[in-house]
Amino acid sequence: MGDPAVNLNANLIDTATPPIPEAAEWLSGFDGRHGPALNLSQAVPGDPPPAEFLEKIAEAARSPEASRYGDIYGDEAVRGAYAAECSRLYQAPIAFDEVAITAGCNQAFFVSIMAIAAAGDAVLLPAPWYFNHKMTMDMLGIETRTLPLDASTGFVPDVSAAASLIDSKVKAIVLVTPNNPTGAVYPPETIAAFLDLAHAKGIRLIIDETYRDFRPASSRPHALYQDQRWRDTVIGLYSFSKAYAIPGHRLGALTASAQTVREIGKILDCVQICPARAAQIALPWAIAHLAEWRGATNAELLKRAATFRSALAAHPEWRIDQIGAYFAYVRHPFDGVPAPVVAEALARTCGLLALPGTYFGPGQDQHLRMAFANVGCDSLRHIPNRLSAFPKDAFENDLTWKGNRFG
């Protein structure tokens, strides 16, 4: 029987496999000797949304309206509510027709890239990067132009280094702040400098703010929307899934000029027709009434970040090079040992699952991403014991560690 992949898109075949399910398989080798597994692999909300919000979604789901097609760009009420919230947050007018609702922030990125670049074009992507961004460009045949980042600068991108990488093939720069995987929050002046660069080069600036609501400070994240050039240059991305703890309902948003949104609508009509309706119908209420809950959620996540930092302080050889409200980027102590080898060994021997830095781009073999947002403080306090149980000589004689070595 022939290989069924032969007749598939070569770009798709060459795209990496989704990494989180691959990593989760490593926990199958953990025998539980140190207690329940600690899964620090996926950046998901750790607590459910308020019961009243869930009831609003359930009520909407029972309505005949939720079973009908909605607008390609999202329901009018949620677009208006989100535009108003952004106008308040950024202290700048953002209009209803400058917003589109998408099936999660991943889709917002996908349709934005499709609108900007075609096969053979290039997009500048800082590394370490969010792996789904890289996967999207690979399957679309778009070159990922890598902008290397470094722990010595807090993994904050340098605009002059970016400028040196831009040629006629580059159609956009992507920034993710707060960053996934490092957690770094980019300073407003850095973001402003990238707007200057993108506008001067005549390319787009995509700014993914999935974790916007989980910054340590409540101040305005940046001043992009106060600059009149934003409509020629900027596409902003957002995740209701993270902010309102509803990832299963798959709702995100993008903000761009009205003309850009109209063009993106062609793509939205082909890939989703309309976003799922029930949560859309409930979201305007949530935007208006859940500010206090969102603040409390952020405070709890910051508490978990502090607990994680304290837990790793007991093992300074595992160095936190950057940390945010959802995850930390940790330098492991085994020089020369590939990050996937370290991550798999941690999962199988200690029941501590993290993602290897290699999932997030080249040059990341010394790092692991540890996501703690979905883990309570009581569980995070077990991390020192798990690291103490990890064999310190695990890789001294065998850099090609096999899964049965620690059985």
Side-chain angles (χ1 to χ4, degrees), residues 231-254:
R231 290 180 174 87
D232 299 325
T233 308
V234 175
I235 298 179
L237 311 180
Y238 181 71
S239 171
F240 295 109
S241 301
K242 295 293 194 297
Y244 294 91
I246 52 170
H249 287 284
R250 307 307 308 131
L251 286 179
L254 64 85

Side-chain angles (χ1 to χ4, degrees), residues 72-109:
I72 292 169
Y73 302 97
D75 286 4
E76 183 174 329
V78 70
R79 290 174 72 195
Y82 181 65
E85 182 183 45
C86 288
S87 298
R88 176 196 57 77
L89 175 64
Y90 296 111
Q91 301 168 31
I94 295 173
F96 163 85
D97 59 356
E98 294 172 332
V99 168
I101 307 302
T102 60
C105 193
N106 266 8
Q107 189 188 76
F109 179 80

Side-chain angles (χ1 to χ4, degrees), residues 306-320 330 333 380-389 392:
T307 301
F308 179 86
R309 190 188 292 273
S310 296
L312 258 69
H315 289 273
E317 69 276 16
W318 296 81
R319 190 179 78 202
I320 298 175
V330 177
L380 292 173
R381 293 188 183 101
H382 291 293
I383 290 177
N385 292 336
R386 300 298 174 95
L387 295 180
S388 293
K392 292 182 172 55

Side-chain angles (χ1 to χ4, degrees), residues 130-179:
Y130 174 44
F131 45 74
N132 281 157
H133 288 175
K134 176 64 161 60
M135 291 170 66
T136 292
M137 292 191 287
D138 285 350
M139 69 180 66
L140 293 174
I142 296 166
E143 176 195 345
T144 297
R145 190 72 56 87
T146 305
L147 173 61
L149 306 182
D150 190 80
S152 64
T153 57
F155 297 102
V156 173
D158 178 72
V159 72
S160 60
S164 69
L165 296 171
I166 296 173
D167 57 23
S168 61
K169 290 182 63 178
V170 174
K171 304 301 181 185
I173 303 167
V174 177
L175 299 181
V176 181
T177 178
N179 186 258

Side-chain angles (χ1 to χ4, degrees), residues 56 124 372:
K56 294 284 185 184
L124 192 61
F372 45 77

